[in-house]
Amino acid sequence: FLISPFFLSKFIKITGNFVIDYFLLIPLLIFLIEIFFIIFYKIFNGIDYKIIKKLPFKKFYVEPHPYLPYIYKKNFSTSPSEKYNYPLSSNFFSAQLKTNNFGFYNGSNGNRDIEVPKPKNLFRINCIGGSTTANYIFDGKKNYSYPMELENVLKAQNSNIEVNNCGTGGYNSADILIRFLLQTIDTKPDLIIVYHAYNDIKSYLTKNFQSDYSHSRKNLGEEYQKFKANAKIPNIPLKFYNYLIQKWFPSNIRSSILEVISKGDLDLNSNCNDGLKVFKRNLQNLVYVCKKNNIDVILSSFCFYLHPSAKNSDTHKKYYEIVSKENFIMQEIAEKNELKFVDCDKKIPKTDEYFLDTIHFTPKGMRFIAEEIGKHINV
């Protein structure tokens, strides 16, 4: 903006009046672009655009991994707490946490270690899944997660029990399987709880499907330098500017990690049958490994709330349809392997009290899921 008149003067004859008009016109254009962006973003997304705060590169709490798209750094603090912009509630904040010795958020502040070797007489439960397992929310007084709520429920029956949060936001069934085989199994759990669906769907619907998801996923390492480059880009408090910069040079892992590790074109009309077979294969292999190692497994259906503001979205409707099929597969696996199956999706009330969006829970929703699963655990 400041130097372009001087560049233009090299090619065309510019008068003093032009320069004055230029400096008067550009702010007006920027203002109009900002207004149009705010309006159309709200129309297309149903929520207001919130400027994404830049996170210094040295404070990035995720890193590339040779066999997974990314992992959380061990014993590392997250970004500062900020207000969530969930469509059904704006009353909650992200939690200020620190990861533990396995790179998970575990316990009330995230940094509760999983002791190895496991202490004698301890009954250890590991909850695995994506963000609906890993997610922490802060209400201004305390942190909540569904594994913490489950531990509270079970400790009322037996104090010698431990429920660990071994979930990672954004992980699909392939990531969960690999992480379990290479790391989580080393904690020697007595029981694992699998609450998972949804995150595989993008891979089902991405063109040129491959059973290892290589057509739709890539490693964070391929894009890591973009985050580093963003540190050199100036902050300007304009929403359209912030949106474009985050698209080209993302800076906040919390809001952009899935976009960064995704590739390929999404087609809502794609046939998802091949993807569902992979989903079933991955979960069945997880069960095989657990049974071979004398680890009990509880499977749960995945809760999806097609709330009024989501009912007109083709994407939400498609995801709802496929999650229903994933839940059926989960029940099939439970029956085939004689495992306990908890139909949380059928039982949870589909109201705003329990959900922050279509899949993430309020503290009341977390407590409900914990109580339903807890009914199936004898300790």
Side-chain angles (χ1 to χ4, degrees):
F1 168 57
L2 293 174
I3 65 175
S4 56
F6 302 100
F7 280 111
L8 288 172
S9 67
K10 299 292 183 181
F11 303 100
I12 58 176
K13 186 176 180 180
I14 294 179
T15 66
N17 288 337
F18 175 85
V19 173
I20 294 172
D21 292 342
Y22 175 88
F23 279 97
L24 291 175
L25 179 62
I26 292 301
L28 177 62
L29 290 175
I30 291 174
F31 174 77
L32 292 175
I33 292 171
E34 179 78 345
I35 294 299
F36 279 117
F37 173 80
I38 291 170
I39 293 171
F40 283 103
Y41 186 91
K42 179 68 177 285
I43 291 173
F44 285 105
N45 295 280
I47 58 175
D48 294 324
Y49 181 78
K50 182 180 177 182
I51 287 182
I52 299 171
K53 296 179 181 178
K54 184 180 292 190
L55 182 67
F57 186 72
K58 65 180 180 179
K59 293 187 178 181
F60 273 31
Y61 52 90
V62 299
E63 61 186 355
H65 185 280
Y67 308 114
L68 292 161
Y70 58 90
I71 59 171
Y72 298 148
K73 296 176 181 177
K74 297 176 183 178
N75 305 307
F76 200 87
S77 297
T78 65
S79 55
S81 178
E82 57 185 3
K83 199 165 190 178
Y84 275 133
N85 197 28
Y86 284 114
L88 301 182
S89 178
S90 58
N91 297 325
F92 298 103
F93 300 80
S94 61
Q96 177 68 58
L97 303 169
K98 186 176 181 179
T99 55
N100 68 1
N101 57 329
F102 277 84
F104 294 116
Y105 299 128
N106 189 42
S108 59
N109 296 311
N111 61 346
R112 190 181 76 184
D113 288 342
I114 304 176
E115 190 176 344
V116 177
K118 184 177 67 175
K120 290 182 179 180
N121 302 319
L122 175 69
F123 190 84
R124 174 167 284 168
I125 301 172
N126 288 350
C127 300
I128 62 177
S131 63
T132 44
T133 296
N135 200 35
Y136 277 72
I137 57 175
F138 177 61
D139 67 354
K141 296 179 180 179
K142 60 179 288 190
N143 294 330
Y144 296 87
S145 73
Y146 114 68
M148 280 201 300
E149 293 300 306
L150 179 59
E151 184 173 84
N152 292 337
V153 169
L154 297 177
K155 276 189 174 292
Q157 307 170 38
N158 185 342
S159 61
N160 201 27
I161 192 168
E162 175 185 271
V163 180
N164 294 306
N165 191 335
C166 295
T168 302
Y171 271 21
N172 58 34
S173 64
D175 304 325
I176 291 168
L177 175 61
I178 293 168
R179 187 76 179 267
F180 184 80
L181 292 174
L182 297 183
Q183 186 188 53
T184 316
I185 195 172
D186 293 337
T187 66
K188 304 294 182 184
D190 297 286
L191 168 67
I192 68 163
I193 298 169
V194 183
Y195 180 86
H196 179 72
Y198 192 90
N199 285 346
D200 292 64
I201 295 177
K202 188 177 187 304
S203 292
Y204 305 164
L205 301 178
T206 299
K207 296 178 180 179
N208 304 313
F209 181 82
Q210 300 293 319
S211 63
D212 61 357
Y213 292 167
S214 59
H215 68 296
S216 62
R217 298 290 285 268
K218 56 186 175 180
N219 193 281
L220 176 63
E222 298 179 46
E223 304 290 331
Y224 213 44
Q225 290 303 312
K226 288 185 178 180
F227 291 92
K228 197 171 185 179
N230 184 279
K232 301 177 181 178
I233 299 175
N235 281 323
I236 299 177
L238 292 169
K239 292 187 175 182
F240 80 88
Y241 172 85
N242 181 265
Y243 175 84
L244 293 175
I245 293 299
Q246 292 301 322
K247 284 291 183 183
W248 297 328
F249 298 99
S251 68
N252 194 315
I253 285 292
R254 179 177 286 146
S255 59
S256 58
I257 184 66
L258 292 183
E259 291 182 18
V260 170
I261 64 165
S262 297
K263 64 180 182 179
D265 297 321
L266 188 70
D267 181 6
L268 292 180
N269 296 315
S270 296
N271 189 313
C272 66
N273 290 337
D274 288 340
L276 289 169
K277 290 177 183 177
V278 171
F279 177 79
K280 186 174 184 178
R281 177 202 69 188
N282 291 343
L283 291 176
Q284 181 61 68
N285 284 335
L286 178 65
V287 170
Y288 284 148
V289 172
C290 288
K291 295 186 77 172
K292 187 68 175 177
N293 287 273
N294 298 314
I295 301 170
D296 290 332
V297 181
I298 290 179
L299 304 179
S300 171
S301 59
F302 190 86
C303 304
F304 196 110
Y305 175 32
L306 197 61
H307 53 84
S309 59
K311 285 184 176 179
N312 295 324
S313 165
D314 290 338
T315 301
H316 285 312
K317 288 189 289 186
K318 185 69 173 182
Y319 271 58
Y320 175 75
E321 173 192 332
I322 297 176
V323 165
S324 298
K325 294 178 180 179
E326 291 176 324
N327 283 341
F328 181 76
I329 289 172
M330 193 73 79
Q331 187 170 7
E332 275 189 325
I333 293 173
E335 292 173 355
K336 174 184 176 181
N337 297 276
E338 299 180 337
L339 305 174
K340 292 179 180 178
F341 176 74
V342 187
D343 200 350
C344 288
D345 180 56
K346 184 178 180 180
K347 295 181 179 180
I348 191 170
K350 302 297 175 61
T351 68
D352 294 4
E353 290 181 80
Y354 294 85
F355 289 86
L356 296 167
D357 54 19
T358 56
I359 61 172
H360 294 99
F361 301 115
T362 62
K364 190 171 183 178
M366 291 176 175
R367 182 73 180 186
F368 185 93
I369 296 300
E371 290 177 345
E372 285 300 318
I373 293 174
K375 293 174 184 177
H376 294 76
I377 301 173
N378 299 316
V379 293

